[in-house]
Amino acid sequence: MRFTALIFSAALLVPLSAMADEDSVPPVTDPLTKKECGACHMAYQPAFLPAASWREIMATLDDHFGEDASLDPETRGQIESYLAANAGRGRARRASPPLRITNLKWFTSEHRDHEVTWLWKNRNVKTMADCAACHRGAGRGYFEDD
Amino acid sequence: MRSLLILPAVIALLATVDAEAGARQALLDGFATQAKAADSGFAGFSASRGENLFRTSFAGGKPDTPACTVCHTPSPLKQGETRAGKPIEPMALSASPDRYGDPKKVAKWFRRNCKSVLGRECTAPEKGDFITFMTGQ
């Protein structure tokens, strides 16, 4: 299962740096990114998406998955630079970069089995965006199977 | 000896609380000035209009967030939750004493959330009413 997921990742969108150790990614180190992104959701580690994705996300903050998450231009620019500099090295095949981590092939294949579905219901997890609901070390970059 | 060590911390804390109270008042004064400039008949902020703004469901905003209460819960004293599962500290000043003390933070969240909920920026009277309601809770 894990192996299949790895192949998927390698073939499609590869957070390569994320896969150095398959269950962990380098944590967010920029305080501004932690503070601003982390005000509404876990500050997702930059390695989860390629730079093109982060640029698109930071350019469309006024409609950020259904909410206005706009920032002043200076803050926006600083966060974008950090995310792009630490982005995953994968290339999206499509012309438009992927915007939702939860739609990436490796993500859906890692989260589709029985156990995950059961846990999700049982713990009353509202959204797949809330990594820490199941992965308690998510904020620190650890996504081992809790 | 211990009280001597604690004293500077207490003074620092009181100074912070005082500075925030000052910043809050300055913020309200600023909204009042803007409100008067737009309407010479402006007669002050109203907590009940603020409560109404907090509780009303609007049709002009983004579909997932028709009202403040969707994320903040109907009780200003309770912790809310973002759509992505993060806790939001209560909106009432009595429950979150550092609320409304940072003008940049206040401007950022009014801008974002008024657009998400109402589909437009809030007016100065609306902002003043809202803060007046929350500081009285």
Side-chain angles (χ1 to χ4, degrees):
Chain A
M1 184 64 209
R2 177 69 42 77
F3 185 66
T4 326
L6 270 172
I7 292 175
F8 265 120
S9 318
L12 291 160
L13 179 80
V14 200
L16 273 181
S17 49
M19 287 298 157
D21 168 356
E22 62 187 44
D23 282 339
S24 72
V25 288
V28 176
T29 51
D30 175 44
L32 193 62
T33 302
K34 252 190 225 173
K35 176 178 168 239
E36 293 296 344
C37 305
C40 299
H41 52 70
M42 191 186 97
Y44 305 114
Q45 288 82 359
F48 278 124
L49 289 171
S53 299
W54 290 122
R55 291 212 180 86
E56 178 68 16
I57 286 168
M58 295 306 288
T60 53
L61 284 178
D62 57 334
D63 191 0
H64 186 63
F65 307 107
E67 260 177 80
D68 187 311
S70 57
L71 287 165
D72 65 86
E74 196 192 335
T75 308
R76 197 199 64 78
Q78 282 183 40
I79 292 175
E80 183 180 317
S81 303
Y82 170 76
L83 293 171
N86 294 279
R89 277 166 284 160
R91 296 256 182 283
R93 278 190 183 171
R94 287 160 291 172
S96 53
L99 302 181
R100 284 181 192 270
I101 297 167
T102 51
N103 282 354
L104 299 177
K105 282 283 195 294
W106 67 263
F107 184 99
T108 49
S109 70
E110 280 268 356
H111 292 89
R112 76 181 156 201
D113 60 33
H114 264 346
E115 200 190 357
V116 169
T117 315
W118 182 86
L119 271 175
W120 197 15
K121 275 193 186 143
N122 190 255
R123 293 188 185 177
N124 198 20
V125 181
K126 267 169 57 172
T127 160
M128 277 285 184
D130 186 9
C131 309
C134 296
H135 304 278
R136 273 161 288 175
R140 287 173 284 116
Y142 293 103
F143 292 86
E144 72 285 5
D145 300 331
D146 284 317
Chain B
M1 187 59 204
R2 179 173 284 186
S3 64
L4 276 180
L5 287 174
I6 291 172
L7 197 60
V10 171
I11 290 171
L13 184 69
L14 287 176
T16 312
V17 169
D18 198 44
E20 276 171 355
R24 224 163 14 244
Q25 194 52 52
L27 199 65
L28 279 174
D29 292 346
F31 290 142
T33 308
Q34 288 175 43
K36 268 180 217 148
D39 171 14
S40 56
F42 171 74
F45 297 125
S46 145
S48 71
R49 281 199 307 261
E51 176 165 15
N52 197 42
L53 177 66
F54 178 66
R55 301 196 185 284
T56 301
S57 275
F58 296 90
K62 301 199 190 290
D64 290 320
T65 54
C68 307
T69 52
V70 170
C71 295
H72 293 289
T73 84
S75 168
L77 296 167
K78 280 196 186 150
Q79 204 177 52
E81 194 178 55
T82 70
R83 287 169 54 233
K86 272 242 169 173
I88 307 172
E89 291 311 306
M91 297 306 286
L93 185 65
S94 61
S96 305
D98 61 347
R99 281 260 182 231
Y100 318 112
D102 174 353
K104 276 178 98 173
K105 184 175 173 185
V106 170
K108 176 174 79 177
W109 286 104
F110 268 134
R111 183 190 69 234
R112 289 175 164 183
N113 291 354
C114 290
K115 281 196 194 146
S116 286
V117 172
L118 290 89
R120 60 167 173 82
E121 298 249 10
C122 286
T123 62
E126 283 170 336
K127 293 176 195 174
D129 289 343
F130 187 90
I131 293 180
T132 301
F133 170 57
M134 290 303 176
T135 50
Q137 289 299 295

